[in-house]
Amino acid sequence: SRVLLVARGWGRLGAMSRYSTEQRGRPNSPDYRLYFKNADGKYISPFHDIPLFAGSKEDKEIPAKRPKTTGSEVLFNMIVEVPRWTNAKMEIATEEPLNPIKHDTKKGKLRYVANIFPHKGYIWNYGALPQTWEDPNHTDNITGCCGDNDPVDVCEIGSKVRSSGEIVQVKVLGVLALVDEGETDWKIIAISADDPEAQKIHGKYFYIDDVKKHKPGYLEATVDWFQLYKVPDGKPENHFAFNGEFKNKDFAVEIIKSTHEHWKALLHKKVDGGTIKCTNILVSGSPFCCSEEDAQSIVQSVRIF
């Protein structure tokens, strides 16, 4: 048994240097959990305590009042759950206090995505935007379906393979509207702001067109992957709003802002979150805010095998 504390620094933007992760339990087991700490060494919830907008004072301002920009571009924080080319279905545990990353299970068995020919595992660094929530009680007026009760998903298409638990500052490029078993499941397409190709994608409104130019076939592969990835499990193909067309950056940002407002309502108990755990230590005015000592007790209560 072990507890492993890992601090990762990355790139010139240095987002990960503000955070570290602590592993409890064995990888590739139902007991595995990856907890998060901030720069002050306090246990935090990646779902609730890491700001949506990347800002220079993000640990002190929830949400950040001065988002970080590159040129005229607002950057967002992404929590990496699944590194590219891997198959284990890792996800933020939304129904556990402090929302660590865990290996998803079904009927007691660990879940892995199948290799969808010609792809290997997840074809992007896959993760979520913190401080967003797709409300299952809210019917989206675009798709006509309710939210999937999770943070908004992100497909990061940069050249680097990231690590689970890494925090990456990303530039939003567009969005795909997946309808998964009757639920709205937005898929944000983004690229790490420090990726060499990020500056090549600079069209004022139509970043998606630049993606097609500089990464030919990638978006088509993304649609193909999401359409088919559940078929090996005996489920039908997924469907999409807009006939599987990607919407542009401005559309994507509006979706992000909307789900951020749903998250605010959740954290301030203005809506019923059901089994979602809203425990946090940094969200000002939230009735779910707990002390540093309480957060430490939550982590220490987790059994290590």
Side-chain angles (χ1 to χ4, degrees):
S1 64
R2 61 178 176 168
V3 177
L4 179 64
L5 182 66
V6 183
R8 304 183 186 95
W10 68 275
R12 60 184 176 81
L13 295 172
M16 195 59 210
S17 63
R18 294 191 177 96
Y19 302 100
S20 60
T21 52
E22 181 175 306
Q23 175 185 310
R24 299 182 77 82
R26 294 176 290 105
N28 301 307
S29 80
D31 311 310
Y32 177 81
R33 297 293 184 275
L34 195 65
Y35 285 92
F36 286 71
K37 285 185 173 181
N38 65 8
D40 297 327
K42 297 178 181 179
Y43 289 107
I44 61 169
S45 160
F47 187 3
H48 307 307
D49 290 318
I50 294 176
L52 169 61
F53 298 98
S56 58
K57 297 182 179 180
E58 56 189 33
D59 280 343
K60 305 299 181 183
E61 299 171 352
I62 306 293
K65 294 178 181 177
R66 289 186 290 277
K68 183 173 286 187
T69 63
T70 173
S72 60
E73 200 67 40
V74 174
L75 302 182
F76 297 87
N77 284 321
M78 170 194 177
I79 303 159
V80 178
E81 296 166 306
V82 186
R84 182 189 284 112
W85 311 135
T86 62
N87 297 73
K89 195 174 187 302
M90 309 301 295
E91 61 179 24
I92 292 171
T94 59
E95 298 182 0
E96 295 183 16
L98 295 183
N99 316 113
I101 289 177
K102 68 172 185 177
H103 196 148
D104 189 28
T105 60
K106 186 172 184 179
K107 296 181 179 179
K109 295 183 178 180
L110 299 176
R111 296 183 67 188
Y112 297 86
V113 298
N115 294 321
I116 306 296
F117 183 83
H119 313 304
K120 169 65 175 75
Y122 288 77
I123 63 174
W124 346 256
N125 296 301
Y126 191 69
L129 293 177
Q131 298 190 342
T132 62
W133 181 52
E134 296 186 61
D135 186 350
N137 298 308
H138 172 76
T139 301
D140 190 279
N141 59 8
I142 299 169
T143 66
C145 299
C146 295
D148 72 347
N149 205 29
D150 283 325
V152 173
D153 295 322
V154 185
C155 302
E156 194 277 319
I157 65 171
S159 55
K160 184 176 180 180
V161 176
R162 300 289 177 170
S163 301
S164 186
E166 192 168 354
I167 311 301
V168 181
Q169 293 178 355
V170 297
K171 176 179 178 177
V172 167
L173 309 176
V175 64
L176 180 67
L178 176 67
V179 179
D180 187 351
E181 298 183 31
E183 297 176 334
T184 302
D185 192 3
W186 296 104
K187 305 297 182 183
I188 299 294
I189 308 301
I191 190 168
S192 171
D194 68 346
D195 190 90
E197 293 188 322
Q199 299 309 311
K200 297 178 183 178
I201 302 173
H202 53 68
K204 185 175 181 182
Y205 300 109
F206 299 103
Y207 288 179
I208 286 297
D209 290 343
D210 278 348
V211 175
K212 292 176 181 177
K213 176 181 177 182
H214 295 290
K215 291 180 175 288
Y218 208 168
L219 295 180
E220 291 82 357
T222 294
V223 173
D224 184 59
W225 195 96
F226 279 120
Q227 184 175 7
L228 299 175
Y229 82 104
K230 289 188 176 182
V231 172
D233 295 329
K235 294 184 178 181
E237 294 182 1
N238 281 321
H239 297 93
F240 307 90
F242 315 115
N243 295 316
E245 294 180 5
F246 290 83
K247 305 302 284 185
N248 67 22
K249 181 255 306 187
D250 289 346
F251 188 102
V253 170
E254 288 306 309
I255 294 298
I256 293 169
K257 289 179 178 178
S258 173
T259 56
H260 185 48
E261 292 303 314
H262 290 307
W263 170 84
K264 287 181 183 178
L266 175 69
L267 265 286
H268 290 89
K269 219 170 184 177
K270 293 180 179 178
V271 295
D272 180 12
T275 56
I276 296 286
K277 288 292 187 289
C278 300
T279 310
N280 69 87
I281 68 164
L282 295 174
V283 182
S284 178
S286 170
F288 302 103
C289 200
C290 73
S291 67
E292 180 182 350
E293 292 74 22
D294 289 339
Q296 187 169 349
S297 296
I298 289 169
V299 179
Q300 291 177 344
S301 68
V302 176
R303 296 175 64 191
I304 306 175
F305 296 87

